[in-house]
Amino acid sequence: MTTPTATETPQQAALRLGCGTSQVGRCATCQSFCQRYGPGGSPLCPACKSGRPGV
Ligand SMILES: [Zn+2]
């Protein structure tokens, strides 16, 4: 699985996450894009929420 989040744009992240670009933000822990805002948003990406940060 190749997901170079460093080169992912907010637009690509929004498509991947299935939310609007205005809801996309950086994960507080690993700085990758995640849905930070709006319904279902979280300051942590799913990986960090599950205790498996970043790579
Ligand atoms: Zn994260």
Side-chain angles (χ1 to χ4, degrees), residues 26-32 34 43-49 52-54:
R26 295 284 186 177
C27 168
T29 299
C30 71
Q31 303 301 305
S32 67
C34 65
L44 295 178
C45 71
C48 290
K49 266 193 293 191
R52 197 166 50 84

Side-chain angles (χ1 to χ4, degrees), residues 6-51:
T7 60
E8 188 177 40
T9 66
Q11 288 76 18
Q12 288 172 324
L15 284 173
R16 174 170 59 83
L17 297 163
C19 66
T21 53
S22 62
Q23 292 173 256
V24 172
R26 295 284 186 177
C27 168
T29 299
C30 71
Q31 303 301 305
S32 67
F33 285 118
C34 65
Q35 184 182 347
R36 277 201 77 153
Y37 314 104
S42 168
L44 295 178
C45 71
C48 290
K49 266 193 293 191
S50 69

